[in-house]
């Protein structure tokens, strides 16, 4: 079986567990994103794949070969560190040529590859600059060029963009994604920024509490979170308790009922959690409760220019709705308002 | 005492302290004379060495002087002769001391700088008992008060009997491993003269001496800067003989049979001595009569005898009183031995060749 | 309605009634005790400079360059060369020995272990040099432990002389100056973040290559500092050649000492001292010149 396979991978530090029972199959040529809050074990997992941390248990196989205990320098993976770790005692060109030099590549070939990579990252003129003279974005690109110089089997990126300012980060996300697709190199990206994961990933692996919570495409993760952890971590959401009533209906704490997608096979009377994304809620002038339309009262309005977030309390639950200003109704605190919750926007999560 | 100053005197350890402590603390051996009351309440400021010779001077000279006269002696002690010179030079024409005891070279330096007063010998009655050559030094600026005496040191394990000639140093079979004094010591100068004499020259025909010394190069383990190291090398059987070196450097080890350390003054060529002087700076802070009385007291036969017994150095007073017990020790010199065998080098002459000889000596033994 | 500014100056009581010093004046004030101390040291050096052009007996009033002329004689030139050679070799050896120690120290995770290590490295500084020289005698002397062991093993017949020659002095120089090499190198190596080593490893460098091609070049400023400190410290070494050289290794500081005691030749001693200072400064400047560019490059990025 080709690609990178992790089987029952574990990492313990004494009695503390950093990574628990991870099973993953990372297909070739894809960009996989390890996404999770800080301290969830995502970086540890990446470092185990790189060979910088030993395995406490389980196996890592690459194209069928067990590499779990191969030293880092023999794995032929490229890695970009959070700090980038460009060697300050080398020029840009020397940094990129370093992995080639280690592999005994001839001088001329080294030079050709360095020029090729600098063209790729559009820094041809910088070849003899010391790295200290580069801007943040330029360093970023040099670090990637160095990581891929020796044509590694896998490229590992450990929160490489976290040091950049927001604007540069967004453009680098696109740039890296394009580069990855052009080179068709299997890539693992570790990040805690879900927007970054959504932008770049083919597959997102959500990690939380030291284990894998869900694996899927960004849209799957967003639309069909497997559990409350994922639902809460990915995007903002209205998550509230409900009770199943059968026939595709659930009851809210305030007594109102909602229609939900019937496909969910659930036991009647079960306590569950319901997820509704704020952008799916529709606000309208107060009308009588009917179907999935509930009557509530505005408790907070946050107008941040591009979007307006309105918090409405109804049926014992606090909902936040997200609208563009032109959809807005110019609501004030304390005003009555109707909230429509489309049935297809509701996701049932096991509590 | 004793950071990193490596002046030779510093290494004399407190060996004799135990034996003389009783004498120092009990009633002084010279009882106060009622007649001498004119110095009561006056103060004398003394600068001496910080080593055992200095301590012995405080015990045997200063303490008894205080008891005898009722004057007070305030002593300042310093590591080396060159420090004393520096101290006095720093004081300029306002010196802090009435009397300084130091080696001849230092006194000459101070005299040359015009800082010393020439004492009136008539005011020092005890000088009549001091042989002429030990009375003064540094061109009459210093009054001799003890003789630093150099011996041949040998291993009592290797040598069955004490060597009776300096030629023993050149006898490779008798003493395979030897040590010599370091180049900057006066002892080295004396050794050069001894070598010259053994080779048929003398201090004015010195070349044969250097040639003769060069013969020793391969057998010289060290130029003994540190007496305790030397004693240790004898204890471990690494050294067989050496010199010139004063037994006063390691009296404790000489008395301890574990060291197998012997010293002899019985060479037929005689033994070399260096005259230690008392000097009086110009513009002294204190009373002049008191200063003369102190110098005279340092030459008292009883005081001279006690100093000799205490620190293994030679008395300058020919009538120095050495106890019959002390006379049995090979390391305590009597006035008779000194009169018979002591050789005093010519400091004025040595000053003219010192620099060159130090260089030659250093070059010969550089490893 | 009367217009009112949203922000308006308020009359705030001054923080201190005392007239406040300008920041520059305050900096000088802060520095003054150290400046005073340094000033005295510099004055002492200048006095040495003055004495070196004086004449014997008239150190403060005379003027003569004879003392410097004298230094051109082979006796002093040989000594100067010997001094520089021993200082240089001892610096190289001390640094070579210090590098593994410093690296281990810089990578110890446990603060306790690191402190124990540091104490072990600093120990020689806490022991009086005179005592240390006895230690050397007990271990390396002709009847010392090492010789006895070698004789006991039948490897040698006669004791080998490890002390009282240049080798003995060299050992002493390396040992006494060792902490001076370890501390700056360890501090520089601690400054080389772990991620550089890891990056090199993922790029294909073995542990040795990581050390050789990343850790060492990146800690070069510390290594140069360590070597320079050892060199300067040992070039003026006095006690070590005196006690471990058996007076047979005439390093310049010993010669300076001979000029003072017993010759009282302050001008000659001062001139030798000035030459030693100038030569050491010159060599330090050269080393800074040759390594300065890379040093600044590394410092800019750290």
């Amino acid at each position: 079986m080709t690609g990178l396979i992790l089987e029952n991978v574990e990492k313990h530090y004494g009695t503390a567990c950093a990574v628990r029972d991870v099973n993953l199959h990372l297909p070739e040529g894809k960009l996989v994103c390890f996404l999770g809050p800080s301290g969830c074990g995502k970086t540890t997992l990446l470092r185990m794949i790189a060979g910088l941390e030993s395995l406490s248990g389980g196996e890592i196989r690459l194209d069928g070969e067990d590499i779990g205990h191969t030293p880092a320098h023999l794995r032929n993976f490229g890695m970009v560190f959070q700090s980038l770790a460009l060697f300050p005692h080398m020029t840009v060109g020397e940094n990129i040529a370093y992995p080639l030099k280690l592999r005994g590549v001839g001088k001329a070939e080294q030079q050709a590859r360095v020029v090729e990579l600098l063209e790729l990252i559009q820094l041809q003129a910088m070849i003899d600059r010391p790295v200290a003279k580069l801007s943040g974005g330029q360093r970023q690109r040099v670090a990637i060029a160095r990581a891929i110089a020796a044509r590694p089997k896998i490229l590992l990126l450990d929160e490489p963009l976290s040091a950049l300012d927001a604007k540069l980060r967004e453009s680098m996300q696109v740039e890296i994604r394009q580069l990855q697709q052009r080179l068709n190199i299997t890539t693992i990206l570790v990040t805690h920024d879900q927007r970054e994961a959504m932008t770049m990933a083919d597959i997102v692996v959500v990690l939380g509490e030291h284990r894998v919570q869900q694996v899927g495409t960004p849209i799957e993760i967003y639309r069909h979170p497997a559990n409350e952890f994922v639902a809460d971590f990915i995007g903002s959401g209205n998550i509230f308790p409900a009770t199943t009533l059968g026939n595709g209906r659930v009851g809210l704490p305030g007594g109102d009922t909602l229609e939900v997608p019937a496909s969910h096979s659930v036991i009647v009377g079960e306590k569950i959690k319901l997820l509704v994304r704020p952008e799916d809620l529709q606000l309208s002038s107060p009308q009588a409760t009917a179907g999935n339309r509930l009557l509530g009262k505005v408790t907070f309005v946050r107008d941040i220019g591009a979007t307006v977030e309105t918090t409405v309390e109804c049926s014992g639950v606090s909902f936040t709705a997200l609208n563009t200003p032109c959809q807005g109704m110019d609501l004030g605190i304390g005003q009555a308002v109707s909230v429509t919750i489309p049935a297809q926007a509701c996701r049932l999560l096991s509590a | 005492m004793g950071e990193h100053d490596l002046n030779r005197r510093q290494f004399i350890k407190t060996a004799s302290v135990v034996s003389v402590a009783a004498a120092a603390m009990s009633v002084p051996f010279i009882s106060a004379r009622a007649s001498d009351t004119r110095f009561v309440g006056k103060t004398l400021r003394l600068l001496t060495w910080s080593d055992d010779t200095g301590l012995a001077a405080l015990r045997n000279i200063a303490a008894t002087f205080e008891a005898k006269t009722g004057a007070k002696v305030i002593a300042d002690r310093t590591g080396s002769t060159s420090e004393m010179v520096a101290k006095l030079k720093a004081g300029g024409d306002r010196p802090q001391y009435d009397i300084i005891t130091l080696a001849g070279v230092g006194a000459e330096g101070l005299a040359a700088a015009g800082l010393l007063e020439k004492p009136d010998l008539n005011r020092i009655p005890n000088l009549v008992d001091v042989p002429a050559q030990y009375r003064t030094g540094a061109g009459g600026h210093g009054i001799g008060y003890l003789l630093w005496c150099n011996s041949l040191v040998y291993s009592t394990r290797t040598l069955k009997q004490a060597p009776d000639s300096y030629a023993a140093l050149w006898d490779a079979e008798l003493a395979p491993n030897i040590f010599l004094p370091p180049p900057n010591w006066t002892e080295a100068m004396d050794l050069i003269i001894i070598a010259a004499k053994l080779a048929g020259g003398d201090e004015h025909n010195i070349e044969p001496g250097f040639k003769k010394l060069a013969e020793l190069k391969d057998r010289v383990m060290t130029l003994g800067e540190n007496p305790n190291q030397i004693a240790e090398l004898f204890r471990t059987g690494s050294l067989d003989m050496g010199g010139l070196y004063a037994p006063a450097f390691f009296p404790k080890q000489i008395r301890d049979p574990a060291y197998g350390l012997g010293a002899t003054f019985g060479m037929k060529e005689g033994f070399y001595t260096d005259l230690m002087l008392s000097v009086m700076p110009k513009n002294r802070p204190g009373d002049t009569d008191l200063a003369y009385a102190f110098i005279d007291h340092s030459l008292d036969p009883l005081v001279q005898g006690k100093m000799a017994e205490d620190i293994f150095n030679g008395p300058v007073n020919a009538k120095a009183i050495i106890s019959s017990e002390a006379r049995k020790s090979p390391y305590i010199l009597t006035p008779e031995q000194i009169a018979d065998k002591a050789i005093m080098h010519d400091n004025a002459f040595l000053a003219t060749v010192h620099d060159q000889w130090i260089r030659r000596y250093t070059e010969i033994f550089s490893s | 309605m009367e217009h009112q500014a949203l922000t308006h100056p308020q009359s705030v009581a001054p923080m201190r009634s005392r007239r406040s010093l300008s920041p520059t004046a305050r900096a000088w004030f802060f520095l003054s005790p150290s400046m005073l101390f340094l000033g005295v040291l510099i004055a002492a050096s200048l006095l040495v400079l003055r004495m070196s052009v004086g004449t014997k007996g008239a150190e403060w009033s005379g003027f003569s360059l004879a003392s410097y002329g004298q230094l051109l004689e082979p006796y002093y030139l040989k000594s100067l060369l010997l001094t520089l050679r021993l200082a240089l070799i001892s610096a190289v050896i001390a640094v070579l020995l210090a590098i593994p120690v410093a690296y281990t120290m810089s990578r110890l995770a446990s603060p306790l272990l690191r402190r124990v290590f540091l104490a072990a490295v600093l120990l020689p500084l806490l022991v009086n040099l005179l005592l240390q020289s006895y230690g050397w005698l007990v271990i390396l002397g002709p009847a010392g432990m090492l010789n006895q062991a070698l004789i006991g093993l039948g490897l040698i017949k006669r004791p080998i002389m490890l002390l009282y020659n240049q080798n003995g002095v060299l050992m002493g120089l390396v040992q006494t100056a060792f902490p001076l090499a370890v501390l700056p190198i360890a501090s520089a190596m601690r400054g080389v973040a772990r991620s550089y080593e890891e990056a090199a490893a993922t790029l294909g460098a073995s542990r040795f290559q990581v050390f050789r091609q990343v850790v060492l070049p990146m800690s070069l400023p510390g290594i140069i500092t360590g070597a320079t400190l050892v060199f300067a410290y040992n070039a003026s070494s006095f006690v070590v050649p005196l006690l471990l050289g058996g007076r047979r290794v005439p390093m310049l500081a010993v010669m300076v000492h001979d000029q003072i005691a017993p010759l009282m030749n302050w001008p000659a001693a001062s001139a030798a001292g000035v030459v030693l200072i100038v030569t050491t400064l010159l060599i330090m400047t050269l080393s800074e010149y040759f390594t300065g560019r890379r040093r600044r490059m590394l410092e800019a990025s750290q």
Side-chain angles (χ1 to χ4, degrees), chain B residues 57 71 121 147 153 163 190 199 230 259 289 307 313 317 352:
Chain B
L121 303 189
L147 288 165
V153 179
D190 296 337
I230 294 295
Y259 280 83
D289 285 339
M307 280 296 280
N313 278 319
N317 190 326
T352 63

Side-chain angles (χ1 to χ4, degrees), chain C residues 21-36:
Chain C
L21 292 162
S22 78
T24 328
R26 216 172 298 158
W28 280 108
F29 190 67
F30 175 68
L31 269 175
S32 57
S34 2
M35 294 297 276
L36 196 67

Side-chain angles (χ1 to χ4, degrees), chain A residues 112-166:
Chain A
R113 178 74 175 144
V114 168
V115 169
E116 180 190 338
L117 285 162
L118 284 173
E119 266 169 34
L120 190 69
I121 59 170
Q122 301 183 344
L123 289 176
Q124 294 94 317
M126 305 288 179
I127 186 160
D128 289 323
R129 292 273 178 97
V131 290
K133 296 258 165 77
L134 301 183
S135 71
Q138 289 170 333
R139 287 185 200 202
Q140 189 67 56
R141 286 185 232 154
V142 173
I144 292 167
R146 183 180 70 174
I148 61 177
R151 303 178 205 279
K153 291 178 217 154
I154 295 181
L155 178 61
L156 308 172
L157 308 170
D158 182 10
E159 308 213 23
L161 304 176
S162 58
L164 303 181
D165 62 66

Side-chain angles (χ1 to χ4, degrees), chain B residues 224-235:
Chain B
E225 181 80 37
N226 180 335
N228 288 323
Q229 265 194 13
I230 294 295
E232 182 64 19
L233 289 168
F234 273 101
R235 193 183 66 78

Side-chain angles (χ1 to χ4, degrees), chain A residues 160-171:
Chain A
L161 304 176
S162 58
L164 303 181
D165 62 66
K167 216 166 169 184
L168 185 55
R169 188 158 65 225
E170 303 235 321
S171 73

Side-chain angles (χ1 to χ4, degrees), chain C:
Chain C
M1 195 177 94
E2 206 176 345
H3 172 80
Q4 201 171 7
L6 283 172
T7 59
H8 56 93
Q10 260 183 303
S11 57
V12 179
M15 296 284 277
R16 278 179 294 179
S17 53
R18 199 163 57 84
R19 193 162 51 92
S20 65
L21 292 162
S22 78
T24 328
R26 216 172 298 158
W28 280 108
F29 190 67
F30 175 68
L31 269 175
S32 57
S34 2
M35 294 297 276
L36 196 67
F37 179 68
L38 285 176
V40 170
L41 288 184
I42 290 167
S45 316
L46 290 178
L47 292 185
V48 167
L49 193 62
R50 172 64 190 91
M51 280 199 285
S52 72
V53 293
T55 56
K56 193 176 168 181
E59 289 82 12
W60 304 112
S61 47
F63 180 83
S64 157
L65 290 174
S67 296
Y68 286 98
Q70 201 185 9
L71 290 176
L72 293 173
E73 293 166 19
Y75 177 70
Y76 286 105
L77 280 184
K78 264 196 245 166
S79 171
L80 181 64
L81 285 182
L82 171 78
T83 304
L84 296 179
R85 190 164 57 84
L86 288 180
L88 188 69
I89 298 175
S90 69
V92 171
I93 296 177
V95 163
L96 287 181
L97 292 177
I99 284 171
V101 175
Y103 184 61
T104 312
M105 256 172 84
S106 72
R107 290 300 181 256
L108 282 176
S110 142
L112 177 72
L113 260 180
R114 206 161 52 224
R115 244 168 263 162
V116 168
F117 230 86
L118 184 68
V121 168
L122 288 180
L123 200 62
L125 291 184
L126 305 178
V127 181
N128 182 303
L129 268 178
L130 203 59
L131 283 182
Q132 283 186 53
S133 76
Y134 286 112
W136 284 101
L137 194 63
V138 170
I139 296 167
L140 301 173
M145 295 183 211
L146 185 66
N147 269 313
Q148 278 177 352
L150 291 176
I151 291 171
L153 291 169
L155 293 173
I156 54 170
K157 286 215 165 60
R158 280 183 62 84
I160 42 174
M161 282 310 290
L162 298 159
L163 292 178
Y164 307 131
N165 52 31
Q166 290 189 16
N167 294 337
V169 171
L170 206 51
M171 273 189 284
L173 292 179
V174 170
Q175 189 235 340
T176 49
F178 191 60
L180 296 181
V182 172
L183 297 181
I185 298 177
S187 137
M189 283 179 168
R190 266 168 78 82
V192 178
R194 205 62 183 260
S195 58
Y196 289 107
E197 289 179 71
E198 292 178 344
T202 60
L203 293 172
S206 65
R207 290 195 75 138
F208 177 74
Q209 284 169 321
V210 169
F211 186 70
R212 169 74 194 69
Q213 294 167 350
V214 175
V215 178
L216 275 191
M218 285 187 67
S219 18
L220 194 68
I223 293 172
I224 301 286
T225 305
T228 314
L229 282 178
V230 174
F231 177 84
Y233 181 76
N234 281 345
S236 59
S237 183
F238 170 62
V239 180
V240 169
L242 206 63
L243 293 179
L244 297 180
R247 234 14 186 91
R248 301 183 61 187
V249 182
M251 286 179 74
L252 206 55
V254 181
M255 311 280 257
V256 168
H257 172 74
D258 286 352
Q259 288 300 323
I260 296 170
L263 296 175
M264 312 271 170
N265 193 347
W266 294 95
S270 304
V274 168
V275 166
L276 192 58
I277 293 173
V278 169
T279 319
T280 310
L281 279 179
L282 201 70
I283 287 171
M284 285 164 76
T285 312
L286 280 179
S287 95
E288 168 62 27
Y289 176 78
F290 284 117
T291 58
R293 206 179 70 87
R294 168 176 248 176
R295 203 172 170 137
R296 280 189 294 279
M297 201 158 99
L298 284 170
E299 275 158 7
S301 65
Q302 274 170 9

